Amino acid sequence: QVRLMESGGGSVQAGGSLKLSCAASGAVFCRMAWYRQAPGKERELVSSISSGGTTSYADSVKGRFTVSQDNAKNTLYLQMNSLKTEDTAVYYCAASRLSRLGDTFRCPGDPESWGQGTQVTVSS
């Protein structure tokens, strides 16, 4: 059974820090990612990391957020520093499994598994 469980959300003052964790079980993923959704806004990709360690970040969080993973523990992390009120959102852990068709391999960009979300609130 595939499960993704986020933790580490909370309320902080602008300029503060939080570290989110996502514990995964039931599968091995080729890519894991953090998404967020603020009230009245579309869900957006915040950061991702491949099983090989390649990372990506939304422009709005570059230089402030750091994504990492512990492959042995199948756990994803998001260190969030210098938080802004604009970072307020529900943060979701998401993951993709490797897709194979014959000799072709790919890791889908669209996640197949999602966590329940954890609230991050940044106040001024």
Side-chain angles (χ1 to χ4, degrees):
Q1 185 175 359
V2 176
R3 294 179 181 177
L4 299 176
M5 297 185 65
E6 302 97 333
S7 62
S11 298
V12 297
Q13 292 276 81
S17 298
L18 284 173
K19 187 173 184 177
L20 306 183
S21 298
C22 173
S25 63
V28 176
F29 301 102
C30 56
R31 178 179 179 270
M32 299 188 74
W34 291 100
Y35 287 76
R36 68 185 181 187
Q37 187 167 27
K41 296 184 178 180
E42 299 292 324
R43 181 174 293 182
E44 65 173 342
L45 176 63
V46 177
S47 182
S48 68
I49 185 168
S50 72
S51 59
T54 301
T55 60
S56 68
Y57 297 93
D59 288 341
S60 59
V61 307
K62 287 181 179 178
R64 300 188 297 119
F65 291 10
T66 302
V67 67
S68 62
Q69 65 187 356
D70 185 333
N71 288 327
K73 297 180 179 179
N74 214 16
T75 301
L76 178 72
Y77 304 96
L78 185 67
Q79 178 66 52
M80 304 185 294
N81 298 325
S82 301
L83 283 162
K84 305 175 180 180
T85 56
E86 304 95 280
D87 296 317
T88 296
V90 177
Y91 283 70
Y92 297 91
C93 176
S96 302
R97 288 184 289 179
L98 190 68
S99 177
R100 181 180 182 179
L101 180 62
D103 293 333
T104 301
F105 296 84
R106 69 181 296 267
C107 189
D110 294 333
E112 65 181 73
S113 302
W114 294 83
Q116 80 285 355
T118 184
Q119 177 70 47
V120 172
T121 302
V122 185
S123 62
S124 60

